[in-house]
Each structure stands twice: as structure tokens, then as C-alpha cells.
Amino acid sequence: MPRLLLPLGLITLLLSLPSVPVRAMPSERAVALACAQRRVRELPIPFADLDPNHWAFEAVMTLYYCGAYRGGIPRDLPVPAP
């Protein structure tokens, strides 16, 4: 039976990585609805180092999920009044 040999440095690196829980990504419709209603804070945080208390949190979440262009929201979803 073949054995997998890993260098000690690689094993140490793998064991030192922080454990980040894996969360299921929301559906496209859920993302579109959250973007249309400006509720991106309710979506899963896509980055392990993104602090919800950081001043740029909502901007990063909006760019990640909604993109820089908001004109792509489907017409059947409600869009908040400006």
C-alpha cells in the first residue's frame, strides 16, 4: 500500500491554518433580492478576514454580491425608491 509522505513544514502549515466554517452560498434569486432591497448584510460573509464591524463592510459585501453596476437587477424584483 503506497504511503503519502508530506514534508514536516507543509504539515505544520496545514495544521496552523484557521478553521473557517463552510457556509452554503445563497441562490442567485436570494442574492438579487438582497441587492434590490439593500440587505446584503444578511448574506453569508464570503471572506474570512472581513469584519462585520469594519466601516467598509457593506461596500465590500455589495461589490462582491451585487457588483458595481446595479442595473442588472431583474425587473420582477422590487427596487427601493431613491
Side-chain angles (χ1 to χ4, degrees):
M1 175 177 214
R3 293 183 354 182
L4 178 64
L5 299 176
L6 295 174
L8 183 57
L10 180 59
I11 293 171
T12 305
L13 174 68
L14 292 174
L15 292 175
S16 68
L17 292 175
S19 60
V20 177
V22 177
R23 295 180 64 182
M25 293 303 291
S27 68
E28 287 183 34
R29 179 152 178 85
V31 169
L33 190 59
C35 291
Q37 296 176 349
R38 296 186 178 144
R39 294 183 0 208
V40 292
R41 286 187 163 272
E42 298 173 10
L43 296 172
I45 300 173
F47 306 105
D49 60 347
L50 184 58
D51 181 10
N53 297 318
H54 191 273
W55 63 268
F57 176 77
E58 194 162 342
V60 171
M61 292 285 287
T62 300
L63 283 173
Y64 180 82
Y65 282 113
C66 308
Y69 175 66
R70 290 200 31 124
I73 297 172
R75 294 188 185 273
D76 64 334
L77 292 176
V79 178

